[in-house]
Amino acid sequence: MTNHTLLNNVEHKDLKVITEKSDKYGNDIMFSMLYPFEFKHAQTEYPIFFHKDNQSGNFTPLALFGFEQKENLFLHEGEWQASYIPFMVEREPFLIGMHGDNENGNPMIHIDLDSPRVSETEGTELFLPHGGNSEYINRISNILKTLHDAKDSTNAFLNTLTELELLEPFNLDISLNNGSNHRLTGFYTLNEDRVSQLPADVLVELNQSGMLMLMYMVIASHANINKLIQKKERTLA
């Protein structure tokens, strides 16, 4: 359940947020949505794939953390052991809500009051004693604004991948040293051959827009599958 409400320094002056990364605070997730502007940092840690919504046909980029539901191989004793954490994870339990006459109104910070991270007794303060914003809530505000501002460029990138038919479904079979097997299904990836065979004028346009670099970051990120398998092996040792 969620209980989203507009954040303000009067009703919520005593609220705190627990920033620990652990299973009990909902970080036992197999993957998270990832925005293209994050690819540069995320591709050094996580395999990047795509999920297709069967109803709309729209694609979403994802950072992969494990091979089965509720498995996050980057969690250890209340810490997320990676050099970069996706913004969709970092922003919790906050989100952007639109206020005004329509959906194009003013974006404002909301908080999920039912989140286990929200407390009045422990965690990081949201507001200063006299009502000003804490450094933490200022950082959250910047994260949410960055995500909100990236929607158009993200849609443009994903629409381009779709129009050029560069995404394809894939399955990955993993055999571990203890004899267990895992099959990763339901994801899409970039077809590297199709990318390399695009007409020269299209490649030039993609390069000038920065999209070609994003594609190569996705492809490069697949090297992290072996790292993820090694993390999985260590949990079974």
Side-chain angles (χ1 to χ4, degrees):
M1 296 294 292
T2 58
N3 181 16
H4 299 161
T5 188
L6 178 65
L7 183 69
N8 68 81
N9 62 3
V10 177
E11 293 179 69
H12 307 133
K13 62 183 178 63
D14 296 322
L15 288 188
K16 298 177 176 64
V17 165
I18 301 166
T19 58
E20 172 188 326
K21 300 294 188 289
S22 66
D23 294 357
K24 65 180 179 179
Y25 295 119
N27 294 127
D28 54 342
I29 49 177
M30 180 182 171
F31 54 79
S32 170
M33 180 180 176
L34 193 70
Y35 282 70
F37 71 83
E38 300 181 274
F39 287 2
K40 181 178 180 180
H41 299 291
Q43 59 94 22
T44 65
E45 297 281 357
Y46 315 107
I48 301 172
F49 295 113
F50 299 84
H51 174 263
K52 183 178 182 180
D53 184 282
N54 291 329
Q55 292 187 336
S56 68
N58 295 331
F59 288 93
T60 302
L62 304 174
L64 188 69
F65 309 140
F67 298 114
E68 53 189 307
Q69 293 298 320
K70 298 185 75 64
E71 178 179 70
N72 185 340
L73 296 169
F74 292 89
L75 289 183
H76 183 68
E77 295 181 352
E79 293 185 359
W80 189 298
Q81 296 185 334
S83 60
Y84 182 79
I85 301 176
F87 272 15
M88 286 298 286
V89 175
E90 286 281 63
R91 57 97 186 168
E92 295 173 345
F94 302 95
L95 67 158
I96 282 285
M98 306 306 294
H99 283 259
D101 295 332
N102 53 52
E103 63 181 11
N104 296 317
N106 296 321
M108 303 185 75
I109 300 177
H110 285 57
I111 185 170
D112 177 10
L113 295 177
D114 286 346
S115 168
R117 295 188 177 279
V118 177
S119 171
E120 291 189 354
T121 59
E122 59 179 316
T124 302
E125 293 182 344
L126 305 185
F127 300 106
L128 301 177
H130 300 293
N133 289 349
S134 67
E135 290 185 10
Y136 170 68
I137 201 63
N138 282 337
R139 179 172 179 272
I140 291 296
S141 178
N142 288 333
I143 286 175
L144 292 176
K145 184 179 186 306
T146 301
L147 293 175
H148 178 75
D149 292 346
K151 287 184 178 180
D152 289 343
S153 60
T154 298
N155 289 336
F157 175 64
L158 295 172
N159 288 339
T160 297
L161 296 184
T162 303
E163 291 167 5
L164 295 175
E165 299 181 342
L166 297 179
L167 293 171
E168 63 178 1
F170 84 104
N171 297 318
L172 178 66
D173 292 308
I174 302 163
S175 297
L176 301 175
N177 292 335
N178 69 349
S180 64
N181 297 300
H182 294 267
R183 184 173 178 84
L184 197 63
T185 63
F187 295 97
Y188 284 71
T189 187
L190 279 174
N191 185 311
E192 190 172 354
D193 290 336
R194 289 182 194 166
V195 173
S196 63
Q197 293 168 9
L198 289 171
D201 59 327
V202 175
L203 287 171
V204 168
E205 185 176 346
L206 291 173
N207 185 51
Q208 291 175 341
S209 69
M211 292 186 186
L212 187 61
M213 180 62 73
L214 292 174
M215 294 178 192
Y216 283 131
M217 287 177 185
V218 171
I219 294 169
S221 78
H222 296 166
N224 293 319
I225 292 176
N226 287 332
K227 294 181 182 179
L228 209 56
I229 292 174
Q230 291 170 10
K231 285 180 176 290
K232 179 72 170 180
E233 294 280 15
R234 287 195 290 271
T235 67
L236 301 174

Tab-separated table of all heavy atoms in Angstrom, residues 43-80:
chain	number	residue	atom	x	y	z
A	43	GLN	N	26.588	1.673	-16.191
A	43	GLN	CA	27.150	0.596	-17.004
A	43	GLN	C	28.456	0.045	-16.464
A	43	GLN	O	28.917	-0.993	-16.909
A	43	GLN	CB	27.335	1.071	-18.452
A	43	GLN	CG	28.239	2.275	-18.631
A	43	GLN	CD	29.679	1.922	-18.944
A	43	GLN	OE1	29.953	0.828	-19.421
A	43	GLN	NE2	30.590	2.840	-18.675
A	44	THR	N	29.041	0.722	-15.475
A	44	THR	CA	30.248	0.178	-14.838
A	44	THR	C	29.904	-0.863	-13.775
A	44	THR	O	30.784	-1.608	-13.333
A	44	THR	CB	31.075	1.292	-14.177
A	44	THR	OG1	30.329	1.871	-13.103
A	44	THR	CG2	31.431	2.380	-15.180
A	45	GLU	N	28.631	-0.929	-13.367
A	45	GLU	CA	28.212	-1.819	-12.282
A	45	GLU	C	27.180	-2.862	-12.698
A	45	GLU	O	27.260	-4.018	-12.279
A	45	GLU	CB	27.629	-0.996	-11.126
A	45	GLU	CG	28.601	-0.037	-10.455
A	45	GLU	CD	29.534	-0.745	-9.487
A	45	GLU	OE1	29.394	-1.971	-9.291
A	45	GLU	OE2	30.405	-0.067	-8.911
A	46	TYR	N	26.189	-2.455	-13.493
A	46	TYR	CA	25.022	-3.302	-13.719
A	46	TYR	C	24.847	-3.652	-15.203
A	46	TYR	O	25.134	-2.826	-16.070
A	46	TYR	CB	23.746	-2.582	-13.262
A	46	TYR	CG	23.849	-1.892	-11.932
A	46	TYR	CD1	23.918	-0.504	-11.834
A	46	TYR	CD2	23.867	-2.630	-10.748
A	46	TYR	CE1	24.012	0.140	-10.618
A	46	TYR	CE2	23.949	-2.002	-9.517
A	46	TYR	CZ	24.031	-0.616	-9.456
A	46	TYR	OH	24.127	-0.001	-8.240
A	47	PRO	N	24.323	-4.837	-15.484
A	47	PRO	CA	23.839	-5.104	-16.841
A	47	PRO	C	22.592	-4.247	-17.093
A	47	PRO	O	21.728	-4.148	-16.230
A	47	PRO	CB	23.486	-6.598	-16.820
A	47	PRO	CG	24.141	-7.151	-15.589
A	47	PRO	CD	24.193	-6.021	-14.607
A	48	ILE	N	22.526	-3.635	-18.254
A	48	ILE	CA	21.383	-2.794	-18.612
A	48	ILE	C	20.557	-3.510	-19.684
A	48	ILE	O	21.072	-3.863	-20.751
A	48	ILE	CB	21.825	-1.413	-19.126
A	48	ILE	CG1	22.642	-0.685	-18.054
A	48	ILE	CG2	20.613	-0.573	-19.540
A	48	ILE	CD1	23.279	0.601	-18.549
A	49	PHE	N	19.292	-3.717	-19.383
A	49	PHE	CA	18.388	-4.343	-20.336
A	49	PHE	C	17.121	-3.498	-20.456
A	49	PHE	O	17.055	-2.388	-19.915
A	49	PHE	CB	18.050	-5.772	-19.886
A	49	PHE	CG	19.239	-6.688	-19.885
A	49	PHE	CD1	19.749	-7.202	-18.699
A	49	PHE	CD2	19.852	-7.038	-21.070
A	49	PHE	CE1	20.853	-8.036	-18.696
A	49	PHE	CE2	20.963	-7.868	-21.087
A	49	PHE	CZ	21.463	-8.374	-19.899
A	50	PHE	N	16.117	-4.034	-21.137
A	50	PHE	CA	14.871	-3.303	-21.358
A	50	PHE	C	13.690	-4.227	-21.073
A	50	PHE	O	13.757	-5.436	-21.279
A	50	PHE	CB	14.786	-2.790	-22.798
A	50	PHE	CG	15.878	-1.834	-23.167
A	50	PHE	CD1	17.119	-2.301	-23.587
A	50	PHE	CD2	15.685	-0.462	-23.087
A	50	PHE	CE1	18.147	-1.428	-23.918
A	50	PHE	CE2	16.697	0.419	-23.417
A	50	PHE	CZ	17.935	-0.068	-23.825
A	51	HIS	N	12.610	-3.615	-20.595
A	51	HIS	CA	11.363	-4.339	-20.366
A	51	HIS	C	10.290	-3.751	-21.272
A	51	HIS	O	10.210	-2.530	-21.449
A	51	HIS	CB	10.912	-4.228	-18.910
A	51	HIS	CG	9.573	-4.837	-18.648
A	51	HIS	ND1	8.409	-4.095	-18.614
A	51	HIS	CD2	9.211	-6.129	-18.437
A	51	HIS	CE1	7.387	-4.902	-18.380
A	51	HIS	NE2	7.844	-6.132	-18.269
A	52	LYS	N	9.480	-4.625	-21.848
A	52	LYS	CA	8.411	-4.174	-22.734
A	52	LYS	C	7.056	-4.336	-22.052
A	52	LYS	O	6.736	-5.421	-21.543
A	52	LYS	CB	8.417	-4.987	-24.033
A	52	LYS	CG	7.368	-4.527	-25.045
A	52	LYS	CD	7.456	-5.350	-26.326
A	52	LYS	CE	6.448	-4.862	-27.363
A	52	LYS	NZ	6.535	-5.663	-28.626
A	53	ASP	N	6.279	-3.257	-22.030
A	53	ASP	CA	4.922	-3.316	-21.508
A	53	ASP	C	4.035	-3.944	-22.582
A	53	ASP	O	3.906	-3.402	-23.690
A	53	ASP	CB	4.422	-1.914	-21.162
A	53	ASP	CG	3.046	-1.928	-20.533
A	53	ASP	OD1	2.054	-2.087	-21.281
A	53	ASP	OD2	2.946	-1.778	-19.304
A	54	ASN	N	3.433	-5.069	-22.267
A	54	ASN	CA	2.670	-5.804	-23.275
A	54	ASN	C	1.428	-5.058	-23.740
A	54	ASN	O	0.942	-5.295	-24.846
A	54	ASN	CB	2.274	-7.180	-22.733
A	54	ASN	CG	3.468	-8.101	-22.579
A	54	ASN	OD1	4.438	-8.005	-23.327
A	54	ASN	ND2	3.414	-8.978	-21.591
A	55	GLN	N	0.902	-4.177	-22.903
A	55	GLN	CA	-0.312	-3.441	-23.290
A	55	GLN	C	0.010	-2.251	-24.177
A	55	GLN	O	-0.597	-2.068	-25.229
A	55	GLN	CB	-1.068	-2.996	-22.042
A	55	GLN	CG	-1.684	-4.156	-21.257
A	55	GLN	CD	-2.566	-3.672	-20.122
A	55	GLN	OE1	-2.404	-2.560	-19.623
A	55	GLN	NE2	-3.506	-4.506	-19.693
A	56	SER	N	0.973	-1.438	-23.757
A	56	SER	CA	1.300	-0.228	-24.516
A	56	SER	C	2.360	-0.469	-25.585
A	56	SER	O	2.449	0.288	-26.555
A	56	SER	CB	1.787	0.864	-23.564
A	56	SER	OG	3.043	0.507	-22.995
A	57	GLY	N	3.183	-1.506	-25.397
A	57	GLY	CA	4.286	-1.739	-26.313
A	57	GLY	C	5.499	-0.877	-26.028
A	57	GLY	O	6.497	-0.937	-26.755
A	58	ASN	N	5.427	-0.070	-24.961
A	58	ASN	CA	6.534	0.824	-24.616
A	58	ASN	C	7.635	0.065	-23.872
A	58	ASN	O	7.374	-0.870	-23.130
A	58	ASN	CB	6.032	1.974	-23.750
A	58	ASN	CG	5.069	2.873	-24.492
A	58	ASN	OD1	5.141	3.012	-25.713
A	58	ASN	ND2	4.155	3.497	-23.773
A	59	PHE	N	8.877	0.549	-24.066
A	59	PHE	CA	10.028	-0.063	-23.416
A	59	PHE	C	10.537	0.812	-22.271
A	59	PHE	O	10.406	2.037	-22.302
A	59	PHE	CB	11.159	-0.269	-24.419
A	59	PHE	CG	10.893	-1.370	-25.414
A	59	PHE	CD1	10.317	-1.093	-26.642
A	59	PHE	CD2	11.224	-2.682	-25.113
A	59	PHE	CE1	10.064	-2.100	-27.555
A	59	PHE	CE2	10.979	-3.700	-26.010
A	59	PHE	CZ	10.404	-3.419	-27.247
A	60	THR	N	11.126	0.143	-21.270
A	60	THR	CA	11.721	0.819	-20.126
A	60	THR	C	13.124	0.259	-19.896
A	60	THR	O	13.282	-0.963	-19.812
A	60	THR	CB	10.888	0.585	-18.854
A	60	THR	OG1	9.553	1.059	-19.067
A	60	THR	CG2	11.496	1.329	-17.664
A	61	PRO	N	14.148	1.120	-19.776
A	61	PRO	CA	15.487	0.609	-19.455
A	61	PRO	C	15.550	0.159	-17.995
A	61	PRO	O	14.933	0.767	-17.121
A	61	PRO	CB	16.404	1.825	-19.681
A	61	PRO	CG	15.561	2.847	-20.366
A	61	PRO	CD	14.153	2.568	-19.991
A	62	LEU	N	16.313	-0.904	-17.744
A	62	LEU	CA	16.427	-1.455	-16.404
A	62	LEU	C	17.884	-1.738	-16.058
A	62	LEU	O	18.668	-2.148	-16.915
A	62	LEU	CB	15.649	-2.778	-16.292
A	62	LEU	CG	14.170	-2.785	-16.642
A	62	LEU	CD1	13.645	-4.212	-16.612
A	62	LEU	CD2	13.380	-1.907	-15.682
A	63	ALA	N	18.221	-1.552	-14.787
A	63	ALA	CA	19.491	-2.018	-14.244
A	63	ALA	C	19.204	-3.310	-13.504
A	63	ALA	O	18.320	-3.369	-12.648
A	63	ALA	CB	20.087	-0.981	-13.302
A	64	LEU	N	19.949	-4.380	-13.829
A	64	LEU	CA	19.706	-5.693	-13.254
A	64	LEU	C	20.566	-5.902	-12.013
A	64	LEU	O	21.778	-5.685	-12.033
A	64	LEU	CB	20.028	-6.773	-14.290
A	64	LEU	CG	19.656	-8.209	-13.943
A	64	LEU	CD1	18.131	-8.373	-13.936
A	64	LEU	CD2	20.278	-9.174	-14.950
A	65	PHE	N	19.937	-6.349	-10.908
A	65	PHE	CA	20.634	-6.557	-9.634
A	65	PHE	C	20.739	-8.029	-9.235
A	65	PHE	O	21.482	-8.365	-8.319
A	65	PHE	CB	19.910	-5.817	-8.502
A	65	PHE	CG	19.627	-4.375	-8.778
A	65	PHE	CD1	18.419	-3.804	-8.386
A	65	PHE	CD2	20.557	-3.573	-9.427
A	65	PHE	CE1	18.148	-2.467	-8.629
A	65	PHE	CE2	20.289	-2.238	-9.683
A	65	PHE	CZ	19.091	-1.683	-9.282
A	66	GLY	N	19.946	-8.900	-9.858
A	66	GLY	CA	19.939	-10.305	-9.478
A	66	GLY	C	19.293	-11.138	-10.558
A	66	GLY	O	18.907	-10.631	-11.618
A	67	PHE	N	19.144	-12.440	-10.293
A	67	PHE	CA	18.629	-13.367	-11.295
A	67	PHE	C	17.267	-13.952	-10.952
A	67	PHE	O	16.716	-14.735	-11.712
A	67	PHE	CB	19.635	-14.513	-11.500
A	67	PHE	CG	20.957	-14.052	-12.017
A	67	PHE	CD1	22.100	-14.160	-11.237
A	67	PHE	CD2	21.072	-13.488	-13.283
A	67	PHE	CE1	23.334	-13.733	-11.714
A	67	PHE	CE2	22.292	-13.060	-13.775
A	67	PHE	CZ	23.433	-13.177	-12.984
A	68	GLU	N	16.724	-13.588	-9.806
A	68	GLU	CA	15.399	-14.059	-9.438
A	68	GLU	C	14.689	-13.003	-8.613
A	68	GLU	O	15.312	-12.061	-8.115
A	68	GLU	CB	15.488	-15.382	-8.677
A	68	GLU	CG	16.426	-15.359	-7.482
A	68	GLU	CD	16.645	-16.745	-6.902
A	68	GLU	OE1	15.628	-17.418	-6.612
A	68	GLU	OE2	17.799	-17.145	-6.722
A	69	GLN	N	13.370	-13.132	-8.495
A	69	GLN	CA	12.572	-12.145	-7.784
A	69	GLN	C	13.066	-11.974	-6.339
A	69	GLN	O	13.449	-12.927	-5.679
A	69	GLN	CB	11.100	-12.560	-7.779
A	69	GLN	CG	10.454	-12.527	-9.166
A	69	GLN	CD	10.451	-11.139	-9.777
A	69	GLN	OE1	10.222	-10.139	-9.090
A	69	GLN	NE2	10.701	-11.059	-11.068
A	70	LYS	N	13.071	-10.715	-5.898
A	70	LYS	CA	13.470	-10.320	-4.535
A	70	LYS	C	14.940	-10.650	-4.243
A	70	LYS	O	15.324	-10.868	-3.094
A	70	LYS	CB	12.550	-10.960	-3.483
A	70	LYS	CG	11.098	-10.519	-3.608
A	70	LYS	CD	10.243	-11.061	-2.490
A	70	LYS	CE	10.507	-10.302	-1.193
A	70	LYS	NZ	10.121	-8.883	-1.268
A	71	GLU	N	15.754	-10.663	-5.292
A	71	GLU	CA	17.190	-10.881	-5.113
A	71	GLU	C	17.960	-9.646	-5.564
A	71	GLU	O	17.890	-9.250	-6.721
A	71	GLU	CB	17.666	-12.087	-5.917
A	71	GLU	CG	19.178	-12.326	-5.796
A	71	GLU	CD	19.643	-13.527	-6.579
A	71	GLU	OE1	19.630	-13.452	-7.833
A	71	GLU	OE2	20.005	-14.546	-5.961
A	72	ASN	N	18.678	-9.031	-4.630
A	72	ASN	CA	19.557	-7.905	-4.944
A	72	ASN	C	20.949	-8.269	-4.447
A	72	ASN	O	21.229	-8.227	-3.249
A	72	ASN	CB	19.059	-6.626	-4.269
A	72	ASN	CG	19.870	-5.414	-4.674
A	72	ASN	OD1	20.993	-5.532	-5.152
A	72	ASN	ND2	19.308	-4.234	-4.474
A	73	LEU	N	21.816	-8.644	-5.366
A	73	LEU	CA	23.149	-9.125	-5.016
A	73	LEU	C	24.102	-8.010	-4.617
A	73	LEU	O	25.256	-8.280	-4.258
A	73	LEU	CB	23.726	-9.924	-6.191
A	73	LEU	CG	22.946	-11.200	-6.535
A	73	LEU	CD1	23.418	-11.785	-7.861
A	73	LEU	CD2	23.070	-12.232	-5.419
A	74	PHE	N	23.626	-6.758	-4.654
A	74	PHE	CA	24.467	-5.626	-4.262
A	74	PHE	C	24.264	-5.217	-2.811
A	74	PHE	O	24.952	-4.330	-2.304
A	74	PHE	CB	24.204	-4.425	-5.185
A	74	PHE	CG	24.667	-4.645	-6.594
A	74	PHE	CD1	23.829	-5.225	-7.530
A	74	PHE	CD2	25.956	-4.305	-6.976
A	74	PHE	CE1	24.260	-5.453	-8.833
A	74	PHE	CE2	26.395	-4.525	-8.270
A	74	PHE	CZ	25.540	-5.104	-9.197
A	75	LEU	N	23.302	-5.849	-2.132
A	75	LEU	CA	23.032	-5.530	-0.732
A	75	LEU	C	23.909	-6.362	0.193
A	75	LEU	O	24.065	-7.566	-0.004
A	75	LEU	CB	21.575	-5.807	-0.389
A	75	LEU	CG	20.503	-4.883	-0.965
A	75	LEU	CD1	19.141	-5.296	-0.435
A	75	LEU	CD2	20.793	-3.433	-0.640
A	76	HIS	N	24.435	-5.686	1.224
A	76	HIS	CA	25.198	-6.411	2.238
A	76	HIS	C	25.238	-5.609	3.526
A	76	HIS	O	25.785	-4.503	3.570
A	76	HIS	CB	26.628	-6.672	1.758
A	76	HIS	CG	27.448	-7.486	2.728
A	76	HIS	ND1	27.186	-8.810	2.989
A	76	HIS	CD2	28.512	-7.141	3.515
A	76	HIS	CE1	28.055	-9.262	3.883
A	76	HIS	NE2	28.860	-8.271	4.224
A	77	GLU	N	24.594	-6.139	4.566
A	77	GLU	CA	24.610	-5.547	5.905
A	77	GLU	C	24.257	-4.050	5.896
A	77	GLU	O	24.974	-3.224	6.438
A	77	GLU	CB	25.973	-5.766	6.548
A	77	GLU	CG	26.286	-7.248	6.798
A	77	GLU	CD	27.630	-7.449	7.463
A	77	GLU	OE1	28.382	-6.468	7.604
A	77	GLU	OE2	27.922	-8.605	7.854
A	78	GLY	N	23.149	-3.722	5.288
A	78	GLY	CA	22.664	-2.352	5.302
A	78	GLY	C	23.388	-1.415	4.367
A	78	GLY	O	23.219	-0.193	4.468
A	79	GLU	N	24.161	-1.963	3.455
A	79	GLU	CA	24.871	-1.134	2.487
A	79	GLU	C	24.618	-1.643	1.069
A	79	GLU	O	24.475	-2.848	0.854
A	79	GLU	CB	26.381	-1.135	2.758
A	79	GLU	CG	26.784	-0.458	4.051
A	79	GLU	CD	28.292	-0.396	4.207
A	79	GLU	OE1	29.003	-0.901	3.310
A	79	GLU	OE2	28.753	0.140	5.226
A	80	TRP	N	24.571	-0.710	0.152
A	80	TRP	CA	24.461	-1.038	-1.267
A	80	TRP	C	25.873	-0.942	-1.822
A	80	TRP	O	26.430	0.138	-1.949
A	80	TRP	CB	23.541	-0.043	-1.960
A	80	TRP	CG	23.174	-0.398	-3.371
A	80	TRP	CD1	24.015	-0.544	-4.434
A	80	TRP	CD2	21.846	-0.623	-3.876
A	80	TRP	NE1	23.310	-0.846	-5.565
A	80	TRP	CE2	21.981	-0.906	-5.256
A	80	TRP	CE3	20.584	-0.616	-3.290
A	80	TRP	CZ2	20.872	-1.165	-6.069
A	80	TRP	CZ3	19.499	-0.871	-4.100
A	80	TRP	CH2	19.641	-1.140	-5.464
